[in-house]
Amino acid sequence: KCKATLIGHSSNVFVSKFLPQTADHEVVSGGNDSDIRHYNIENETCTVYRHHSKKVLSLSINPRQPRTFISCSADGTVRLYDVRQQYEHSVTQPINTQPDETEDDIISQAYGGGRAPSFWRSNGIKKIVCPSSVLLNYDSTIGRRRYGINNHTLFSVDFHPIDGVSFIVSGSDGLVRLFDTRMIRKNAPALSSPIVYSNKKFQNPSKYETTGCAFNFSGTEIVVTYLGEKIYLYDVASGDHIETEQKEEESSRRAKGSGESKNDSENKIKCTTWHKKMRKKKLEKVKQRRQRLTQVENRGS
């Protein structure tokens, strides 16, 4: 039995999720029209967030704050929303409101999706910015210079299932990055991510795009899917296939002979308690492996 039909998206819908603790009365969704929609089935309202400029591919709800969620898009941004807040370029309307544009106003998903420039001009809007919801911007000037990628599509985001502050992002550069919302530098993802998960047999950036990533239920492992490649499982605690991007950034700066500011150094040194525990576990495991190897060698001699 179909209990409700939710309309409003003008094109393909790529993701939808129930908001917890709402008795399944509230749903958030994202699609090729670049809209994020928050449906309240009980109140029969729908709030539309027109913040992304290209298709929305993934949403993840904060396990500690169920009224907040993050989104990622082909426009290279990760955005953070709180359904209790009001944002610019958002509107609340009846839940049965029909789309206000035609198919010609929507760009094909093969070209990144979103609305055509003609639609925004007809509505008196030159460019979507909405800085209030931006959490990360991979397509900023700093991001493009760092990664050498002009159009950085972000395919997937996932909150850590326990701590409520850590989340992972997968993108078209073939990497998965772990972020902490308390350490974010919006236009400098490389300086915001303490740990990067990368298959070492691939080049960096890789031609194999990371099309999906997710934590397991305890947050100790990450599963990653690659376009045209296999599925890989990364151990968060042991650090298998882990590269530290901050070290790469530091080496690059030293090679260029440019000095670092005090703030940059502090941002590299900062680490959350959770990350420190992960690194400590990694060192303990390495120490145990060495001890076992030593025991084996002693027995052989």
Side-chain angles (χ1 to χ4, degrees):
K1 180 182 177 181
C2 180
K3 297 178 65 175
T5 301
L6 305 178
I7 62 175
H9 282 289
S10 308
S11 186
N12 298 341
V13 179
F14 294 121
V15 58
S16 60
K17 291 180 180 291
F18 282 107
L19 287 180
Q21 302 176 16
T22 63
D24 296 341
H25 289 155
E26 296 184 39
V27 175
V28 290
S29 64
N32 186 60
D33 56 8
S34 76
D35 284 353
I36 291 178
R37 290 179 171 263
H38 169 219
Y39 296 96
N40 190 317
I41 301 171
E42 188 175 28
N43 295 339
E44 297 186 347
T45 60
C46 175
T47 300
V48 186
Y49 303 99
R50 288 182 173 172
H51 292 192
H52 286 291
S53 59
K54 294 184 179 180
K55 58 185 176 183
V56 178
L57 294 171
S58 181
L59 302 172
S60 181
I61 298 167
N62 191 323
R64 290 293 186 91
Q65 301 178 43
R67 308 299 290 171
T68 64
F69 63 94
I70 54 177
S71 64
C72 71
S73 165
D75 64 10
T77 64
V78 176
R79 293 178 180 266
L80 174 66
Y81 299 91
D82 187 329
V83 297
R84 298 165 294 188
Q85 292 187 11
Q86 292 185 344
Y87 298 91
E88 58 180 337
H89 297 301
S90 64
V91 60
T92 300
Q93 56 194 23
I95 199 169
N96 59 353
T97 303
Q98 295 288 341
D100 58 353
E101 63 274 303
T102 65
E103 291 184 2
D104 294 336
D105 292 323
I106 305 300
I107 300 172
S108 169
Q109 67 184 56
Y111 297 98
R115 288 179 171 80
S118 57
F119 174 84
W120 298 117
R121 286 196 296 269
S122 64
N123 285 270
I125 301 174
K126 293 182 179 180
K127 184 179 180 181
I128 301 178
V129 180
C130 303
S132 58
S133 64
V134 174
L135 189 60
L136 284 168
N137 187 358
Y138 278 69
D139 271 357
S140 65
T141 302
I142 297 175
R144 289 195 297 268
R145 186 168 62 243
R146 170 65 179 85
Y147 304 113
I149 298 175
N150 292 325
N151 296 310
H152 200 130
T153 297
L154 301 181
F155 292 104
S156 181
V157 289
D158 193 34
F159 260 117
H160 189 280
I162 298 174
D163 67 19
V165 295
S166 303
F167 65 95
I168 50 178
V169 182
S170 68
S172 53
D173 61 353
L175 302 175
V176 174
R177 293 178 177 83
L178 174 66
F179 295 97
D180 188 313
T181 55
R182 300 165 296 183
M183 299 169 57
I184 294 296
R185 296 182 61 180
K186 292 184 179 181
N187 292 326
L191 301 180
S192 304
S193 174
I195 299 176
V196 175
Y197 297 84
S198 171
N199 194 313
K200 293 180 180 178
K201 73 177 184 179
F202 299 152
Q203 293 181 350
N204 184 10
S206 171
K207 65 177 181 179
Y208 299 107
E209 300 174 327
T210 48
T211 55
C213 62
F215 282 106
N216 66 350
F217 74 97
S218 61
T220 58
E221 294 180 342
I222 297 172
V223 65
V224 179
T225 57
Y226 288 83
L227 181 65
E229 247 287 327
K230 303 177 180 66
I231 299 173
Y232 292 89
L233 186 66
Y234 298 122
D235 190 331
V236 175
S238 69
D240 290 343
H241 300 295
I242 289 178
E243 297 176 359
T244 305
E245 192 165 34
Q246 291 174 351
K247 291 182 179 178
E248 294 179 7
E249 187 78 12
E250 185 176 0
S251 299
S252 176
R253 290 190 179 187
R254 287 178 178 175
K256 293 178 181 178
S258 60
E260 288 183 342
S261 67
K262 184 177 179 181
N263 290 335
D264 287 342
S265 299
E266 288 177 353
N267 283 322
K268 291 183 179 182
I269 294 171
K270 283 182 182 178
C271 188
T272 64
T273 303
W274 182 76
H275 291 139
K276 288 180 179 178
K277 288 180 180 179
M278 295 299 101
R279 292 180 180 180
K280 186 176 180 181
K281 288 182 180 180
K282 176 184 175 181
L283 292 174
E284 288 176 353
K285 287 197 174 186
V286 170
K287 185 177 180 180
Q288 291 173 1
R289 290 172 184 170
R290 288 177 178 174
Q291 289 176 349
R292 287 196 295 268
L293 287 173
T294 303
Q295 291 174 359
V296 171
E297 289 175 356
N298 293 335
R299 290 174 185 174
S301 57

